[in-house]
Structure formats: structure tokens, C-alpha cells
């Protein structure tokens, strides 16, 4: 098999794996930490995209709090399905917005970028297949 064929196979395999991960995320309850002084989701801006922090469980949220040096404060959060986060919360923020899952949990973090197929089409940024291929899979 030539190099181009193996790259194409790798990209297809990566997209299938991402689709499985996205489907699992959409069906699973996640923790959505709220900002320290308000009821808005905790976010970070990077390269023109707002990323909402979400966590699969309290242990993952606790690791994140330790990394931020904020483990001594109470962390309020909401529990909601990943689908509700992608389909409801993301559009409500009014800016290009994706979800960063389990930041600080080595080998378990994932990014769900604001592209077609992940967030509603009306709030998706230009569909750049490189965004999904490089940022959509598991990180770590």
C-alpha cells in the first residue's frame, strides 16, 4: 500500500473513532462546572473559539481543580447530557464554541469542535476537515 492510501485509511479510521466518541458523549451525562461567581459555564477562549469545560465525573473535575490551583474552593456544577450541552448550551453562548472534555485527565481528554456534525449547523464554523482530524479525537 502506498503512503497516500495509508493516510486515507488512517483519516477514515480516525473519523469513525471520533463518530463513536461523539455518539457516546451525546448519550452520557457530564458535569458542567459553573464560574466561581456566576451561573455561567466555565469556559476558556483559544484561537477565536470559546471552549466549555465538561467532565465525565467528579474525579476528573477534581484533577482539573488541582491543576488550576483551585482545589480549596467549592465547585458548583450542573449535570446534563452531552447532547443538551452541544445542542442547547453551545448555541446559547452566541460565539463559536466547542466542548473540552476532561481537561487535566491525561489520556482521557477530548475536544468537540464547533463544526458541522458536532454542533448545530447554525452555529458551526467553516467545516474544515483538519479541525476534526487533528482536534476532535482523544488527546493525551
Amino acid at each position: 500500500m502506498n503512503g497516500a492510501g495509508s493516510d486515507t485509511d488512517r483519516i477514515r479510521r480516525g473519523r469513525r473513532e471520533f463518530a463513536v466518541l461523539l455518539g457516546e458523549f451525546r448519550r452520557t451525562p457530564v458535569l458542567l462546572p459553573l464560574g466561581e461567581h456566576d451561573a455561567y459555564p466555565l469556559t476558556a477562549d483559544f484561537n477565536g473559539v470559546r471552549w466549555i469545560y465538561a467532565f465525565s465525573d467528579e474525579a476528573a473535575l477534581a484533577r482539573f481543580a488541582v491543576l488550576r490551583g483551585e482545589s480549596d474552593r467549592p465547585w458548583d456544577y450542573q449535570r446534563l447530557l452531552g447532547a443538551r450541552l452541544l445542542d442547547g448550551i453551545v448555541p446559547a453562548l452566541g460565539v463559536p464554541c466547542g466542548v473540552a472534555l476532561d481537561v487535566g485527565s491525561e489520556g482521557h481528554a477530548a475536544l468537540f469542535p464547533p463544526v458541522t456534525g458536532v454542533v448545530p449547523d447554525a452555529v458551526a464554523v467553516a467545516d474544515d476537515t483538519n479541525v476534526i482530524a487533528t482536534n476532535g479525537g482523544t488527546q493525551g
Side-chain angles (χ1 to χ4, degrees):
M1 197 176 222
N2 67 28
S6 62
D7 285 346
T8 300
D9 291 342
R10 184 181 54 79
I11 290 169
R12 285 184 185 141
R13 187 173 42 255
R15 287 185 182 185
R16 280 191 305 272
E17 290 170 1
F18 179 72
V20 169
L21 180 66
L22 176 61
E24 184 177 325
F25 177 77
R26 293 183 66 80
R27 293 184 300 274
T28 303
V30 295
L31 307 182
L32 181 65
L34 305 175
E36 188 173 3
H37 301 292
D38 56 34
Y40 290 98
L42 188 63
T43 63
D45 293 331
F46 185 73
N47 284 342
V49 175
R50 181 156 300 157
W51 294 93
I52 299 173
Y53 292 114
F55 298 91
S56 56
D57 55 33
E58 289 179 348
L61 177 56
R63 284 188 294 274
F64 176 75
V66 168
L67 286 174
R68 287 177 60 105
E70 298 180 34
S71 59
D72 57 339
R73 77 168 178 90
W75 283 78
D76 293 329
Y77 61 83
Q78 293 180 340
R79 184 180 308 266
L80 67 159
L81 287 177
R84 172 77 173 105
L85 180 54
L86 292 172
D87 298 341
I89 305 296
V90 165
L93 292 181
V95 297
C97 190
V99 175
L101 178 67
D102 289 343
V103 171
S105 295
E106 189 173 328
H108 298 283
L111 298 176
F112 298 98
V115 296
T116 299
V118 176
V119 299
D121 291 348
V123 296
V125 295
D127 187 8
D128 181 351
T129 56
N130 290 327
V131 172
I132 292 176
T134 59
N135 292 337
T138 56
Q139 306 291 308

